[in-house]
Amino acid sequence: MLPETEKLLATLETIIQNLTSGGSGIGSEGDHPFRPLVWSISEEGEFSFVKLIETSGLLTEIDRQELIEIWRNRFICPGRYSEASSNRMISQALPQYQSLIEILQTQLEELRFFKIQTYNEKSGKAGSDGFKGYDLLGFIVGQTTTGDWVAFTQTVELPDRAGFGERLPRYNSPLSEELLNLSEQIEPILKDSASLIVFKAFLREDWAIEELLRSIRFLEIYSFQGYFDVEQGAGYPYQYADFEEFIATHLKDTRVYVLGNDALYRLYIIGKCVTGDWLGALTLAVWT
């Protein structure tokens, strides 16, 4: 890490040492600490959010069978579905999933299976970054012979979360001829299986994953406006002024990444410093 980055990190650590997510502006229902984030370009390469959560252990590669099991278990919700309904949905969906994977294995050069798991072994236990969670999401990523990346996952219920101003624009790239042909082949499967959704990104695997997560609103990305919305959690003390001043003075292109789908959301506030490295903080917000 560059010496100037180390100095800025030390200053940041002092500023956030007593901050929690419970103040006005974030309005979390729990007071969770802020923890420093640093991404060294010289050591870790170009920054991307997908690489960040992979480095932290939240995103991991799995095998095909574990992916199918994750997708299968989404239909087992005793509070929402009866046992008979769960079994019926599973019996209808699993053949569609298997058919989709078989087509992708013949049409794509590389096919990988991933999961994002925000808890450690049992729901509610702290994950690898020290924060809790409830989310488990499985998805497929593959590359065409022309270099495009595509990603598939199940849809999820839309979350009820706080907003942080202006959302970052989404990636937008045209479908290649090969992707159009692939879409035609899998269209009958997707039409019959409303629990699947497909997205794409041009040339980069991490963009494909990021677009997939944003498309189902498992991930939201905001351009940091220089302050948190004081109406969020109104009535609580506003404690982020020094943190915001640090961001305004030392960071550019600062973003707020909100990751999660069920009550516990990770907030990553991170921007680029003068050295080209990325600095910021991570906290956990509880919104129910």
Side-chain angles (χ1 to χ4, degrees), residues 21 26-32 134 263-265 267 284-288:
S21 59
I26 294 178
S28 170
E29 297 164 32
D31 289 324
H32 292 277
Y134 298 113
L264 303 180
Y265 300 88
L267 270 62
L284 185 74
V286 182
W287 297 313
T288 59

Side-chain angles (χ1 to χ4, degrees), residues 193-210:
S193 182
S195 60
L196 273 179
I197 193 164
V198 56
F199 292 89
K200 51 82 185 175
F202 184 65
L203 291 181
R204 285 182 52 162
E205 183 182 26
D206 55 341
W207 286 0
I209 295 173
E210 187 175 293

Side-chain angles (χ1 to χ4, degrees), residues 45-228:
E46 180 184 0
F47 171 80
S48 82
F49 180 73
V50 170
K51 293 177 183 176
L52 178 63
I53 60 174
E54 185 173 23
T55 300
S56 70
L58 296 181
L59 171 63
T60 56
E61 190 165 0
I62 57 177
D63 60 25
R64 168 177 171 166
Q65 187 55 45
E66 185 173 357
L67 175 88
I68 292 295
E69 195 65 20
I70 290 171
W71 284 6
R72 176 186 180 276
N73 286 341
R74 189 167 291 277
F75 296 111
I76 304 175
C77 301
R80 188 181 309 156
Y81 308 128
S82 67
E83 184 177 352
S85 295
S86 294
N87 290 335
R88 182 173 63 254
M89 289 186 289
I90 290 170
S91 65
Q92 292 171 346
L94 287 187
Q96 300 289 345
Y97 295 162
Q98 298 285 2
S99 297
L100 174 67
I101 292 173
E102 288 169 5
I103 291 175
L104 297 180
Q105 286 178 322
T106 62
Q107 297 297 315
L108 300 176
E109 285 195 332
E110 183 176 0
L111 198 63
R112 303 172 71 190
F113 309 102
F114 293 92
K115 68 177 178 182
I116 292 177
Q117 186 170 357
T118 63
Y119 54 85
N120 182 17
E121 296 179 353
K122 294 184 178 179
S123 182
K125 285 191 174 182
S128 54
D129 59 3
F131 287 119
K132 296 181 180 180
Y134 298 113
D135 295 305
L136 177 61
L137 182 75
F139 56 94
I140 303 172
V141 180
Q143 188 177 33
T144 69
T145 57
T146 55
D148 294 306
W149 289 88
V150 290
F152 301 77
T153 193
Q154 292 171 305
T155 58
V156 295
E157 290 189 11
L158 296 181
D160 183 15
R161 63 174 66 172
F164 290 93
E166 183 180 350
R167 285 182 173 88
L168 227 61
R170 300 273 296 276
Y171 297 115
N172 185 24
S173 58
L175 286 175
S176 66
E177 188 67 29
E178 187 172 1
L179 280 179
L180 287 172
N181 292 335
L182 177 62
S183 297
E184 290 179 2
Q185 291 187 56
I186 64 177
E187 183 179 4
I189 296 175
L190 300 180
K191 186 176 180 180
D192 291 340
S193 182
S195 60
L196 273 179
I197 193 164
V198 56
F199 292 89
K200 51 82 185 175
F202 184 65
L203 291 181
R204 285 182 52 162
E205 183 182 26
D206 55 341
W207 286 0
I209 295 173
E210 187 175 293
E211 279 300 288
L212 182 73
L213 301 179
R214 294 181 75 180
S215 296
I216 60 173
R217 292 187 61 197
F218 195 88
L219 171 68
E220 299 275 22
I221 310 175
Y222 299 90
S223 177
F224 187 66
Q225 302 299 300
Y227 57 88
F228 292 110

